[in-house]
Amino acid sequence: MDTFNLLLQGFSTALTPMNLMFACLGVLLGTAVGVLPGIGPAMAIALLLPLTYNLEPTSALIMFAGIYYGGMYGGSTTSILLNTPGESSTVITAIEGHKMAKAGRAAQALATAAIGSFVAGTIGTALLAAFAPLVVKFAVSLGPSSYLAIMVLGLLTVTAVLGASKLRGFASVGLGLAIGLVGMDPVTGQQRLVFGIPLLSDGLDIVVVAVAIFAVGEAFWIAAHLRRSKMSTIPVGQPWMGKQDWKRSWKPWLRGTALGFPFGAMPAGGAEVPTFLSYSVEKKLTKHPEEFGHGAIEGVAGPEAANNASAAGTLTPLLALGLPTNATAGVMLAALIQFGIQPGPLLFQNEPILVWGLIASLFIGNTLLLLINLPMAPLWARLLRIPRPYLYAGILFFATLGAYAVNLQAFDLVILLVLGALGFAMRRFGLPILPLIIGLILGPRIENQLRKAFQLSAGDISGLWSEPLAVGVYAVVALILAWPLVALAWRRFRPGEEAVQVPASLERDPHQSRL
Amino acid sequence: MTQQATAAGKPAAGTGRSELGIAALLGVAGAVVLWDASRLVVPYSVSDPVGPKTLPIIIGSLLLVTAVMLAVNVLRGGRGQAEEGEDVDLSHPSDWKTVLPLAGAFVLNILLIGVAGWVVSGTLLFWGSVWALGGRNYVRDGVVSVTMALLTFYGFYFGLDIKLPAGILAGIL
């Protein structure tokens, strides 16, 4: 089999001592940032981007993927022991997981989360290896008009489907697109939004913007609302599971994986929806309904698996189409661009060593994560004791260092402060961060495809819907835009029916949690 | 938990109409984008009918529309949900006594990094940030700050071949 051979080649890339070291480094860092409050995988990768300029792209991306997967493992540890979900996708884990921990079953909760993550991550990565080449095979035949449509859909779903307030999502995406305009117009060479400042004429470095919005904005925001009271962590021993726990966990793991992967692969899927779905499925199917709400192991096993499978799913459109669907994928796309690698379906053709090395490293990273998380969970939990002044001073310190190291000019630090203030204001007033980042990254690419489409059709506007896929995607776009009206009409006609009961903590906007 | 309070869309921190400032920001940003677009020259081109202006006009208009809609939304009582987090406690309002010194340390670093060099400015940045965030163990904080600055300086120099400015310590480091 072709895919299988490519994957084997990938393993030979990933298993070189150098890349193996970066995979280890990635999963260790990832677990750490997952456990640490205030810092998530997207921020960690943004902070590391400037440091990886001189690295081999394959090694750097292997490390980033390790951070991505590791963040999921670390995140579940915090939500179980502390009941404050670090990532938005572990909100559900916190519900049952923390109850289990309180009832003295922290070890089992951590074990089912870690093993479930491993199972789901491995199956998810296998699905990625199987499906991504199929998507590519289909996608290479697409022209710019279809890409344009797909990217518009990606941008729109991130903006309008996720998040509590669509209006604030659109405001955020507008700001991101505007920031993306700064610099030289690629076709005519004219300067846009440069205001005569020569340092702006090359555009704003995505790294600087990402670090500003994720790291500086977040550090200032937390500083303004720093929790003064100590949070109590539940002490934990070695994670382990009894026979009964295995029996109750394996089906939720598989069901969670089945839900997580496709949602992660969809333009607006993300990890929040499948974890929630998995939770409600397990609640319905369980033989111990009385335990739900008091620490049911199924309620940890399913959502954790869904969470990790969706991470693998997210990588499918990222690698096969160049379409990021969450913050971490967005920053990874920025990394590709930084290395001068053109994202898109040709990535598999042009960079087979990188792509397959990366996929193989995911299998390795996942195994490493299981090994470092099962026996060492108590050790990781100790990270939570780090003095907060050091943690947040450190984030600011490294943000400054990273942004400065890009061009060695103090002007970038001014940009960092200004955009950091923007990031602060967005958190304060509930503007989601994700649309800004995705808008910033996709904006220039959308413009590029738009103009390419017109060039191919010699200026004829019908070139925009010359491909059937483009028409189909625009139909979906129209549906999403019209959805509020449809929903309104629905509610009018069925006033008595209430929405499905959602646990209180679910009603938070999924993007309000740290990214 | 603060989640019950925020579920209704009215977070503890976020009362008043200060959110109108965001609407104003969006409006100004939209106006600037449109103004900037208006001075772009569109060369006649058959193959590039989109030109450099189209996207800025769309984006500027989007910003203006969201500005107006957000203003209306806020005046009608709509509020954005402030972001939550593990270390975030929304029960007290923004603590400017922490944020302003923190921003001060940041600005100080921008001013000093070229002149005094990273080791000095970075130490001040870290130490100042720790102080702003409530660290009062002056000796330990100072040692950690100097160590961080030195480690990163040499780490970047030898590990990444990035030469951070040495500044006034040029001969010593």
Side-chain angles (χ1 to χ4, degrees), chain B residues 62-108:
Chain B
L62 171 72
L63 283 168
L64 282 184
V65 170
T66 53
V68 172
M69 285 175 71
L70 188 64
V72 171
N73 181 287
V74 173
L75 289 175
R76 281 184 177 173
R79 293 287 179 274
Q81 264 173 252
E83 191 186 79
E84 295 174 41
E86 289 144 314
D87 275 344
V88 172
D89 177 7
L90 290 177
S91 60
H92 62 84
S94 287
D95 176 11
W96 296 107
K97 275 185 198 151
T98 305
V99 174
L100 291 178
L102 206 56
F106 198 95
V107 172
L108 191 68

mmCIF file of all heavy atoms in Angstrom, chain B residues 62-108:
data_model
loop_
_atom_site.group_PDB
_atom_site.id
_atom_site.type_symbol
_atom_site.label_atom_id
_atom_site.label_comp_id
_atom_site.label_asym_id
_atom_site.label_seq_id
_atom_site.Cartn_x
_atom_site.Cartn_y
_atom_site.Cartn_z
ATOM 1 N N LEU B 62 -17.079 46.234 6.708
ATOM 2 C CA LEU B 62 -17.414 45.248 7.741
ATOM 3 C C LEU B 62 -17.169 45.840 9.128
ATOM 4 O O LEU B 62 -18.017 45.721 10.032
ATOM 5 C CB LEU B 62 -16.571 43.987 7.545
ATOM 6 C CG LEU B 62 -16.653 42.942 8.658
ATOM 7 C CD1 LEU B 62 -18.004 42.240 8.637
ATOM 8 C CD2 LEU B 62 -15.541 41.906 8.545
ATOM 9 N N LEU B 63 -16.029 46.519 9.284
ATOM 10 C CA LEU B 63 -15.708 47.104 10.585
ATOM 11 C C LEU B 63 -16.712 48.188 10.957
ATOM 12 O O LEU B 63 -17.168 48.258 12.108
ATOM 13 C CB LEU B 63 -14.283 47.680 10.563
ATOM 14 C CG LEU B 63 -13.165 46.648 10.678
ATOM 15 C CD1 LEU B 63 -11.812 47.269 10.345
ATOM 16 C CD2 LEU B 63 -13.126 46.055 12.077
ATOM 17 N N LEU B 64 -17.081 49.023 9.979
ATOM 18 C CA LEU B 64 -18.046 50.084 10.281
ATOM 19 C C LEU B 64 -19.398 49.498 10.677
ATOM 20 O O LEU B 64 -20.027 49.937 11.642
ATOM 21 C CB LEU B 64 -18.210 51.008 9.069
ATOM 22 C CG LEU B 64 -17.091 52.022 8.847
ATOM 23 C CD1 LEU B 64 -17.425 52.935 7.680
ATOM 24 C CD2 LEU B 64 -16.850 52.855 10.103
ATOM 25 N N VAL B 65 -19.828 48.468 9.917
ATOM 26 C CA VAL B 65 -21.129 47.861 10.229
ATOM 27 C C VAL B 65 -21.106 47.237 11.622
ATOM 28 O O VAL B 65 -22.024 47.445 12.426
ATOM 29 C CB VAL B 65 -21.498 46.796 9.162
ATOM 30 C CG1 VAL B 65 -22.709 46.003 9.599
ATOM 31 C CG2 VAL B 65 -21.756 47.472 7.828
ATOM 32 N N THR B 66 -20.025 46.504 11.936
ATOM 33 C CA THR B 66 -19.977 45.885 13.269
ATOM 34 C C THR B 66 -19.905 46.961 14.351
ATOM 35 O O THR B 66 -20.462 46.791 15.427
ATOM 36 C CB THR B 66 -18.767 44.942 13.423
ATOM 37 O OG1 THR B 66 -17.587 45.648 13.065
ATOM 38 C CG2 THR B 66 -18.900 43.697 12.597
ATOM 39 N N ALA B 67 -19.230 48.085 14.050
ATOM 40 C CA ALA B 67 -19.155 49.171 15.030
ATOM 41 C C ALA B 67 -20.547 49.671 15.372
ATOM 42 O O ALA B 67 -20.917 49.785 16.550
ATOM 43 C CB ALA B 67 -18.299 50.308 14.490
ATOM 44 N N VAL B 68 -21.344 49.931 14.331
ATOM 45 C CA VAL B 68 -22.696 50.443 14.562
ATOM 46 C C VAL B 68 -23.542 49.408 15.294
ATOM 47 O O VAL B 68 -24.221 49.698 16.291
ATOM 48 C CB VAL B 68 -23.355 50.823 13.214
ATOM 49 C CG1 VAL B 68 -24.813 51.173 13.429
ATOM 50 C CG2 VAL B 68 -22.595 51.974 12.574
ATOM 51 N N MET B 69 -23.455 48.144 14.821
ATOM 52 C CA MET B 69 -24.287 47.114 15.435
ATOM 53 C C MET B 69 -23.906 46.869 16.885
ATOM 54 O O MET B 69 -24.758 46.648 17.740
ATOM 55 C CB MET B 69 -24.195 45.810 14.632
ATOM 56 C CG MET B 69 -24.980 45.880 13.336
ATOM 57 S SD MET B 69 -24.759 44.411 12.331
ATOM 58 C CE MET B 69 -25.668 43.204 13.257
ATOM 59 N N LEU B 70 -22.583 46.945 17.158
ATOM 60 C CA LEU B 70 -22.132 46.731 18.530
ATOM 61 C C LEU B 70 -22.622 47.871 19.424
ATOM 62 O O LEU B 70 -23.082 47.640 20.547
ATOM 63 C CB LEU B 70 -20.611 46.625 18.587
ATOM 64 C CG LEU B 70 -20.043 46.216 19.941
ATOM 65 C CD1 LEU B 70 -20.493 44.818 20.310
ATOM 66 C CD2 LEU B 70 -18.525 46.286 19.956
ATOM 67 N N ALA B 71 -22.551 49.100 18.904
ATOM 68 C CA ALA B 71 -23.027 50.248 19.681
ATOM 69 C C ALA B 71 -24.500 50.068 20.019
ATOM 70 O O ALA B 71 -24.919 50.255 21.170
ATOM 71 C CB ALA B 71 -22.798 51.536 18.898
ATOM 72 N N VAL B 72 -25.289 49.679 19.020
ATOM 73 C CA VAL B 72 -26.723 49.468 19.259
ATOM 74 C C VAL B 72 -26.924 48.366 20.290
ATOM 75 O O VAL B 72 -27.695 48.500 21.247
ATOM 76 C CB VAL B 72 -27.432 49.102 17.930
ATOM 77 C CG1 VAL B 72 -28.861 48.656 18.193
ATOM 78 C CG2 VAL B 72 -27.387 50.278 16.971
ATOM 79 N N ASN B 73 -26.159 47.281 20.117
ATOM 80 C CA ASN B 73 -26.257 46.142 21.021
ATOM 81 C C ASN B 73 -25.959 46.550 22.463
ATOM 82 O O ASN B 73 -26.678 46.179 23.390
ATOM 83 C CB ASN B 73 -25.289 45.052 20.540
ATOM 84 C CG ASN B 73 -25.318 43.812 21.393
ATOM 85 O OD1 ASN B 73 -24.819 43.821 22.512
ATOM 86 N ND2 ASN B 73 -25.912 42.750 20.879
ATOM 87 N N VAL B 74 -24.908 47.352 22.641
ATOM 88 C CA VAL B 74 -24.521 47.757 23.992
ATOM 89 C C VAL B 74 -25.574 48.694 24.586
ATOM 90 O O VAL B 74 -25.961 48.566 25.755
ATOM 91 C CB VAL B 74 -23.134 48.439 23.984
ATOM 92 C CG1 VAL B 74 -22.811 49.018 25.352
ATOM 93 C CG2 VAL B 74 -22.075 47.445 23.581
ATOM 94 N N LEU B 75 -26.061 49.612 23.763
ATOM 95 C CA LEU B 75 -27.072 50.552 24.269
ATOM 96 C C LEU B 75 -28.348 49.829 24.661
ATOM 97 O O LEU B 75 -29.095 50.275 25.525
ATOM 98 C CB LEU B 75 -27.368 51.618 23.203
ATOM 99 C CG LEU B 75 -26.221 52.615 22.998
ATOM 100 C CD1 LEU B 75 -26.541 53.567 21.851
ATOM 101 C CD2 LEU B 75 -25.933 53.391 24.271
ATOM 102 N N ARG B 76 -28.584 48.695 24.019
ATOM 103 C CA ARG B 76 -29.781 47.929 24.372
ATOM 104 C C ARG B 76 -29.524 46.996 25.547
ATOM 105 O O ARG B 76 -30.370 46.183 25.906
ATOM 106 C CB ARG B 76 -30.219 47.083 23.177
ATOM 107 C CG ARG B 76 -30.970 47.882 22.143
ATOM 108 C CD ARG B 76 -31.408 46.923 21.087
ATOM 109 N NE ARG B 76 -32.201 47.564 20.067
ATOM 110 C CZ ARG B 76 -32.573 46.937 18.962
ATOM 111 N NH1 ARG B 76 -32.213 45.690 18.766
ATOM 112 N NH2 ARG B 76 -33.298 47.550 18.066
ATOM 113 N N GLY B 77 -28.329 47.046 26.096
ATOM 114 C CA GLY B 77 -28.062 46.240 27.275
ATOM 115 C C GLY B 77 -27.243 44.995 27.026
ATOM 116 O O GLY B 77 -27.010 44.213 27.948
ATOM 117 N N GLY B 78 -26.795 44.786 25.799
ATOM 118 C CA GLY B 78 -25.962 43.623 25.515
ATOM 119 C C GLY B 78 -24.569 43.823 26.088
ATOM 120 O O GLY B 78 -24.049 44.931 26.106
ATOM 121 N N ARG B 79 -23.978 42.749 26.612
ATOM 122 C CA ARG B 79 -22.628 42.853 27.162
ATOM 123 C C ARG B 79 -21.793 41.659 26.703
ATOM 124 O O ARG B 79 -22.290 40.534 26.672
ATOM 125 C CB ARG B 79 -22.655 42.835 28.698
ATOM 126 C CG ARG B 79 -23.299 44.043 29.338
ATOM 127 C CD ARG B 79 -22.416 45.285 29.223
ATOM 128 N NE ARG B 79 -23.047 46.445 29.823
ATOM 129 C CZ ARG B 79 -23.893 47.250 29.194
ATOM 130 N NH1 ARG B 79 -24.214 47.011 27.927
ATOM 131 N NH2 ARG B 79 -24.424 48.285 29.798
ATOM 132 N N GLY B 80 -20.548 41.937 26.378
ATOM 133 C CA GLY B 80 -19.642 40.840 26.058
ATOM 134 C C GLY B 80 -19.248 40.126 27.337
ATOM 135 O O GLY B 80 -19.163 40.735 28.395
ATOM 136 N N GLN B 81 -19.035 38.813 27.215
ATOM 137 C CA GLN B 81 -18.635 38.045 28.396
ATOM 138 C C GLN B 81 -17.139 38.176 28.595
ATOM 139 O O GLN B 81 -16.372 37.807 27.716
ATOM 140 C CB GLN B 81 -18.908 36.565 28.133
ATOM 141 C CG GLN B 81 -20.210 36.072 28.663
ATOM 142 C CD GLN B 81 -20.425 34.663 28.180
ATOM 143 O OE1 GLN B 81 -21.249 34.412 27.336
ATOM 144 N NE2 GLN B 81 -19.645 33.733 28.710
ATOM 145 N N ALA B 82 -16.712 38.667 29.740
ATOM 146 C CA ALA B 82 -15.278 38.733 30.010
ATOM 147 C C ALA B 82 -14.712 37.322 30.069
ATOM 148 O O ALA B 82 -15.399 36.392 30.485
ATOM 149 C CB ALA B 82 -15.022 39.475 31.312
ATOM 150 N N GLU B 83 -13.470 37.179 29.636
ATOM 151 C CA GLU B 83 -12.880 35.853 29.552
ATOM 152 C C GLU B 83 -12.537 35.291 30.929
ATOM 153 O O GLU B 83 -12.016 35.997 31.785
ATOM 154 C CB GLU B 83 -11.613 35.919 28.715
ATOM 155 C CG GLU B 83 -11.084 34.551 28.369
ATOM 156 C CD GLU B 83 -9.753 34.633 27.660
ATOM 157 O OE1 GLU B 83 -8.739 34.829 28.339
ATOM 158 O OE2 GLU B 83 -9.738 34.505 26.438
ATOM 159 N N GLU B 84 -12.821 34.007 31.090
ATOM 160 C CA GLU B 84 -12.472 33.358 32.353
ATOM 161 C C GLU B 84 -11.193 32.558 32.194
ATOM 162 O O GLU B 84 -10.701 32.375 31.094
ATOM 163 C CB GLU B 84 -13.601 32.423 32.774
ATOM 164 C CG GLU B 84 -14.882 33.179 33.098
ATOM 165 C CD GLU B 84 -16.023 32.232 33.367
ATOM 166 O OE1 GLU B 84 -15.770 31.217 34.030
ATOM 167 O OE2 GLU B 84 -17.129 32.493 32.901
ATOM 168 N N GLY B 85 -10.675 32.107 33.291
ATOM 169 C CA GLY B 85 -9.459 31.301 33.224
ATOM 170 C C GLY B 85 -9.135 30.756 34.589
ATOM 171 O O GLY B 85 -9.799 31.077 35.576
ATOM 172 N N GLU B 86 -8.096 29.924 34.632
ATOM 173 C CA GLU B 86 -7.762 29.261 35.894
ATOM 174 C C GLU B 86 -7.363 30.249 36.974
ATOM 175 O O GLU B 86 -7.703 30.094 38.133
ATOM 176 C CB GLU B 86 -6.602 28.286 35.657
ATOM 177 C CG GLU B 86 -7.000 27.079 34.863
ATOM 178 C CD GLU B 86 -5.897 26.635 33.938
ATOM 179 O OE1 GLU B 86 -5.313 27.493 33.254
ATOM 180 O OE2 GLU B 86 -5.618 25.433 33.888
ATOM 181 N N ASP B 87 -6.593 31.270 36.563
ATOM 182 C CA ASP B 87 -6.111 32.217 37.552
ATOM 183 C C ASP B 87 -6.903 33.518 37.514
ATOM 184 O O ASP B 87 -6.483 34.508 38.075
ATOM 185 C CB ASP B 87 -4.629 32.524 37.289
ATOM 186 C CG ASP B 87 -3.723 31.489 37.929
ATOM 187 O OD1 ASP B 87 -4.231 30.752 38.797
ATOM 188 O OD2 ASP B 87 -2.552 31.410 37.577
ATOM 189 N N VAL B 88 -8.017 33.501 36.800
ATOM 190 C CA VAL B 88 -8.778 34.730 36.647
ATOM 191 C C VAL B 88 -9.946 34.736 37.627
ATOM 192 O O VAL B 88 -10.702 33.778 37.709
ATOM 193 C CB VAL B 88 -9.306 34.868 35.203
ATOM 194 C CG1 VAL B 88 -10.258 36.044 35.100
ATOM 195 C CG2 VAL B 88 -8.146 35.037 34.250
ATOM 196 N N ASP B 89 -10.035 35.816 38.365
ATOM 197 C CA ASP B 89 -11.116 35.971 39.328
ATOM 198 C C ASP B 89 -11.900 37.217 38.941
ATOM 199 O O ASP B 89 -11.432 38.336 39.130
ATOM 200 C CB ASP B 89 -10.500 36.121 40.730
ATOM 201 C CG ASP B 89 -11.569 36.349 41.772
ATOM 202 O OD1 ASP B 89 -12.759 36.251 41.422
ATOM 203 O OD2 ASP B 89 -11.209 36.632 42.924
ATOM 204 N N LEU B 90 -13.063 36.995 38.336
ATOM 205 C CA LEU B 90 -13.802 38.136 37.791
ATOM 206 C C LEU B 90 -14.631 38.857 38.843
ATOM 207 O O LEU B 90 -15.347 39.794 38.530
ATOM 208 C CB LEU B 90 -14.702 37.671 36.643
ATOM 209 C CG LEU B 90 -13.959 37.252 35.374
ATOM 210 C CD1 LEU B 90 -14.931 36.738 34.349
ATOM 211 C CD2 LEU B 90 -13.158 38.412 34.811
ATOM 212 N N SER B 91 -14.524 38.405 40.109
ATOM 213 C CA SER B 91 -15.373 39.038 41.114
ATOM 214 C C SER B 91 -14.860 40.429 41.497
ATOM 215 O O SER B 91 -15.579 41.201 42.088
ATOM 216 C CB SER B 91 -15.458 38.145 42.361
ATOM 217 O OG SER B 91 -14.168 37.957 42.882
ATOM 218 N N HIS B 92 -13.613 40.712 41.174
ATOM 219 C CA HIS B 92 -13.179 42.095 41.406
ATOM 220 C C HIS B 92 -12.886 42.761 40.067
ATOM 221 O O HIS B 92 -12.530 42.100 39.102
ATOM 222 C CB HIS B 92 -11.961 42.148 42.349
ATOM 223 C CG HIS B 92 -10.734 41.451 41.831
ATOM 224 N ND1 HIS B 92 -9.833 42.046 40.980
ATOM 225 C CD2 HIS B 92 -10.252 40.200 42.047
ATOM 226 C CE1 HIS B 92 -8.860 41.208 40.708
ATOM 227 N NE2 HIS B 92 -9.091 40.077 41.322
ATOM 228 N N PRO B 93 -13.050 44.087 39.992
ATOM 229 C CA PRO B 93 -12.837 44.776 38.718
ATOM 230 C C PRO B 93 -11.363 44.788 38.335
ATOM 231 O O PRO B 93 -10.511 44.394 39.138
ATOM 232 C CB PRO B 93 -13.335 46.198 39.002
ATOM 233 C CG PRO B 93 -13.234 46.350 40.480
ATOM 234 C CD PRO B 93 -13.470 44.994 41.057
ATOM 235 N N SER B 94 -11.084 45.229 37.109
ATOM 236 C CA SER B 94 -9.701 45.268 36.640
ATOM 237 C C SER B 94 -8.830 46.006 37.647
ATOM 238 O O SER B 94 -9.147 47.098 38.093
ATOM 239 C CB SER B 94 -9.617 45.972 35.286
ATOM 240 O OG SER B 94 -10.146 45.147 34.289
ATOM 241 N N ASP B 95 -7.721 45.368 37.989
ATOM 242 C CA ASP B 95 -6.847 45.893 39.031
ATOM 243 C C ASP B 95 -5.733 46.708 38.372
ATOM 244 O O ASP B 95 -4.697 46.174 38.003
ATOM 245 C CB ASP B 95 -6.270 44.689 39.808
ATOM 246 C CG ASP B 95 -5.268 45.117 40.848
ATOM 247 O OD1 ASP B 95 -5.172 46.330 41.119
ATOM 248 O OD2 ASP B 95 -4.588 44.227 41.394
ATOM 249 N N TRP B 96 -5.978 48.014 38.239
ATOM 250 C CA TRP B 96 -5.020 48.845 37.506
ATOM 251 C C TRP B 96 -3.720 48.999 38.273
ATOM 252 O O TRP B 96 -2.691 49.321 37.697
ATOM 253 C CB TRP B 96 -5.632 50.207 37.180
ATOM 254 C CG TRP B 96 -6.797 50.040 36.259
ATOM 255 C CD1 TRP B 96 -8.116 50.178 36.570
ATOM 256 C CD2 TRP B 96 -6.752 49.647 34.882
ATOM 257 N NE1 TRP B 96 -8.896 49.896 35.475
ATOM 258 C CE2 TRP B 96 -8.080 49.568 34.417
ATOM 259 C CE3 TRP B 96 -5.717 49.335 33.989
ATOM 260 C CZ2 TRP B 96 -8.402 49.204 33.116
ATOM 261 C CZ3 TRP B 96 -6.037 48.988 32.690
ATOM 262 C CH2 TRP B 96 -7.368 48.916 32.261
ATOM 263 N N LYS B 97 -3.757 48.772 39.589
ATOM 264 C CA LYS B 97 -2.526 48.887 40.375
ATOM 265 C C LYS B 97 -1.536 47.790 40.003
ATOM 266 O O LYS B 97 -0.364 47.876 40.308
ATOM 267 C CB LYS B 97 -2.851 48.787 41.865
ATOM 268 C CG LYS B 97 -3.258 50.113 42.455
ATOM 269 C CD LYS B 97 -3.449 49.962 43.952
ATOM 270 C CE LYS B 97 -4.263 51.104 44.504
ATOM 271 N NZ LYS B 97 -5.011 50.700 45.689
ATOM 272 N N THR B 98 -2.029 46.727 39.393
ATOM 273 C CA THR B 98 -1.129 45.691 38.899
ATOM 274 C C THR B 98 -0.765 45.957 37.445
ATOM 275 O O THR B 98 0.385 45.845 37.041
ATOM 276 C CB THR B 98 -1.804 44.310 39.009
ATOM 277 O OG1 THR B 98 -2.214 44.121 40.351
ATOM 278 C CG2 THR B 98 -0.853 43.203 38.612
ATOM 279 N N VAL B 99 -1.786 46.329 36.660
ATOM 280 C CA VAL B 99 -1.577 46.430 35.213
ATOM 281 C C VAL B 99 -0.648 47.579 34.851
ATOM 282 O O VAL B 99 0.250 47.422 34.017
ATOM 283 C CB VAL B 99 -2.937 46.588 34.496
ATOM 284 C CG1 VAL B 99 -2.716 46.829 33.017
ATOM 285 C CG2 VAL B 99 -3.783 45.348 34.711
ATOM 286 N N LEU B 100 -0.832 48.736 35.494
ATOM 287 C CA LEU B 100 -0.028 49.896 35.094
ATOM 288 C C LEU B 100 1.464 49.711 35.379
ATOM 289 O O LEU B 100 2.282 49.972 34.492
ATOM 290 C CB LEU B 100 -0.589 51.172 35.733
ATOM 291 C CG LEU B 100 -1.956 51.581 35.153
ATOM 292 C CD1 LEU B 100 -2.488 52.828 35.849
ATOM 293 C CD2 LEU B 100 -1.881 51.784 33.643
ATOM 294 N N PRO B 101 1.852 49.264 36.581
ATOM 295 C CA PRO B 101 3.288 49.001 36.773
ATOM 296 C C PRO B 101 3.822 47.943 35.805
ATOM 297 O O PRO B 101 4.957 48.042 35.336
ATOM 298 C CB PRO B 101 3.363 48.485 38.219
ATOM 299 C CG PRO B 101 2.142 48.965 38.870
ATOM 300 C CD PRO B 101 1.085 49.046 37.814
ATOM 301 N N LEU B 102 2.966 46.958 35.494
ATOM 302 C CA LEU B 102 3.370 45.915 34.557
ATOM 303 C C LEU B 102 3.660 46.539 33.188
ATOM 304 O O LEU B 102 4.692 46.268 32.570
ATOM 305 C CB LEU B 102 2.243 44.886 34.453
ATOM 306 C CG LEU B 102 2.588 43.466 34.056
ATOM 307 C CD1 LEU B 102 3.627 42.884 34.980
ATOM 308 C CD2 LEU B 102 1.339 42.597 34.063
ATOM 309 N N ALA B 103 2.740 47.391 32.745
ATOM 310 C CA ALA B 103 2.947 48.079 31.466
ATOM 311 C C ALA B 103 4.178 48.973 31.557
ATOM 312 O O ALA B 103 4.933 49.103 30.583
ATOM 313 C CB ALA B 103 1.713 48.910 31.111
ATOM 314 N N GLY B 104 4.400 49.567 32.745
ATOM 315 C CA GLY B 104 5.575 50.411 32.942
ATOM 316 C C GLY B 104 6.863 49.625 32.733
ATOM 317 O O GLY B 104 7.778 50.073 32.027
ATOM 318 N N ALA B 105 6.916 48.428 33.314
ATOM 319 C CA ALA B 105 8.096 47.586 33.153
ATOM 320 C C ALA B 105 8.315 47.248 31.686
ATOM 321 O O ALA B 105 9.443 47.221 31.191
ATOM 322 C CB ALA B 105 7.944 46.301 33.970
ATOM 323 N N PHE B 106 7.202 47.040 30.986
ATOM 324 C CA PHE B 106 7.271 46.694 29.570
ATOM 325 C C PHE B 106 7.845 47.852 28.759
ATOM 326 O O PHE B 106 8.725 47.683 27.927
ATOM 327 C CB PHE B 106 5.859 46.340 29.077
ATOM 328 C CG PHE B 106 5.839 45.573 27.798
ATOM 329 C CD1 PHE B 106 5.777 44.190 27.813
ATOM 330 C CD2 PHE B 106 5.881 46.223 26.582
ATOM 331 C CE1 PHE B 106 5.755 43.471 26.637
ATOM 332 C CE2 PHE B 106 5.872 45.514 25.399
ATOM 333 C CZ PHE B 106 5.804 44.145 25.432
ATOM 334 N N VAL B 107 7.313 49.069 29.028
ATOM 335 C CA VAL B 107 7.761 50.257 28.292
ATOM 336 C C VAL B 107 9.236 50.532 28.606
ATOM 337 O O VAL B 107 10.020 50.859 27.713
ATOM 338 C CB VAL B 107 6.879 51.470 28.649
ATOM 339 C CG1 VAL B 107 7.452 52.747 28.056
ATOM 340 C CG2 VAL B 107 5.464 51.244 28.143
ATOM 341 N N LEU B 108 9.598 50.373 29.874
ATOM 342 C CA LEU B 108 10.978 50.605 30.279
ATOM 343 C C LEU B 108 11.927 49.725 29.467
ATOM 344 O O LEU B 108 12.986 50.158 29.005
ATOM 345 C CB LEU B 108 11.125 50.294 31.777
ATOM 346 C CG LEU B 108 12.434 50.725 32.422
ATOM 347 C CD1 LEU B 108 12.503 52.241 32.476
ATOM 348 C CD2 LEU B 108 12.558 50.153 33.834
#
